[in-house]
Amino acid sequence: MHLIVEVGSRLDPDVSWPEGAALTMFAGEPVQLMIFLSRPHELEVQAVTAAPTRFAWVDSEHAGILAYRLGPILSWSEAPYNPHLFGPEDGLPGVDADGIVQIVLVDRDTNIVKALHRVQWPADFAAAVRASVTRMRETPFSRPAYEHALAALHRRCPTPDDLVIDRADALCTATPVPREDH
């Protein structure tokens, strides 16, 4: 999902995105958190760029979960992750040392980008996620093990709030990255 986007741009109109979030992490690129919502409310659009931008990482051997909380109003949400869900043609899964994250909110009904924000994870948080991704990348993939790991996490922690409070391996508040004008 290597996308170059800007607010107001339209993603491929032939692709139908599922409701929720998708997370990509490839070496040499920012981490990308794509959030697909039907008719996002103005508060959801504003939350993408509102401080604080908080993250939690959960490592569950065969699956990772990035929990995120955008702005002061919205509750925690989550995006599951395993590097084997992407093909080798997509690139080498990884997290760069700079810990840059691009958050993109897309109206999934129109495929129009409604909000975009770039933030930076603190070095220790980026290192924790990088180590987890590297370990998962080097572990043979099993879809049943991945699905079991997610199901077990959600049985123990049924909401994203529970996941963050009871199970997070790393927590952080990200800092905004100044926009680069080309």
Side-chain angles (χ1 to χ4, degrees):
M1 194 179 328
H2 306 284
L3 300 173
I4 298 173
V5 296
E6 55 187 42
V7 174
S9 65
R10 182 183 299 268
L11 303 184
D12 185 343
D14 296 327
V15 176
S16 178
W17 303 100
E19 187 91 8
L23 179 64
T24 58
M25 296 190 260
F26 294 105
E29 298 181 19
V31 170
Q32 186 149 275
L33 176 62
M34 301 284 294
I35 304 166
F36 301 97
L37 300 177
S38 290
R39 297 179 305 283
H41 188 277
E42 187 56 35
L43 289 175
E44 293 169 317
V45 173
Q46 292 171 7
V48 171
T49 56
T53 304
R54 300 178 60 207
F55 293 96
W57 179 253
V58 176
D59 183 339
S60 183
E61 190 175 353
H62 295 285
I65 293 180
L66 182 68
Y68 56 94
R69 185 171 183 183
L70 306 177
I73 296 173
L74 299 183
S75 60
W76 285 95
S77 296
E78 63 184 72
Y81 178 81
N82 184 294
H84 296 285
L85 298 175
F86 304 92
E89 67 279 3
D90 291 325
L92 178 68
V95 176
D96 289 349
D98 64 10
I100 300 295
V101 179
Q102 178 166 280
I103 305 164
V104 182
L105 175 63
V106 178
D107 181 335
R108 67 178 290 272
D109 296 337
T110 63
N111 280 0
I112 293 177
V113 174
K114 302 303 269 182
L116 172 67
H117 191 50
R118 288 170 65 99
V119 296
Q120 186 172 26
W121 286 338
D124 59 339
F125 186 87
V129 177
R130 182 172 37 265
S132 180
V133 169
T134 300
R135 184 196 45 73
M136 281 189 280
R137 186 179 70 212
E138 295 170 355
T139 302
F141 181 64
S142 162
R143 183 164 293 278
Y146 168 74
E147 291 172 0
H148 176 75
L150 290 177
L153 281 170
H154 288 118
R155 270 193 310 277
R156 182 173 171 218
C157 304
T159 70
D161 287 310
D162 294 332
L163 198 64
V164 171
I165 292 166
D166 297 335
R167 187 58 181 75
D169 294 297
L171 290 160
C172 78
T173 299
T175 55
V177 174
R179 184 184 158 105
E180 297 174 11
D181 291 316
H182 304 315

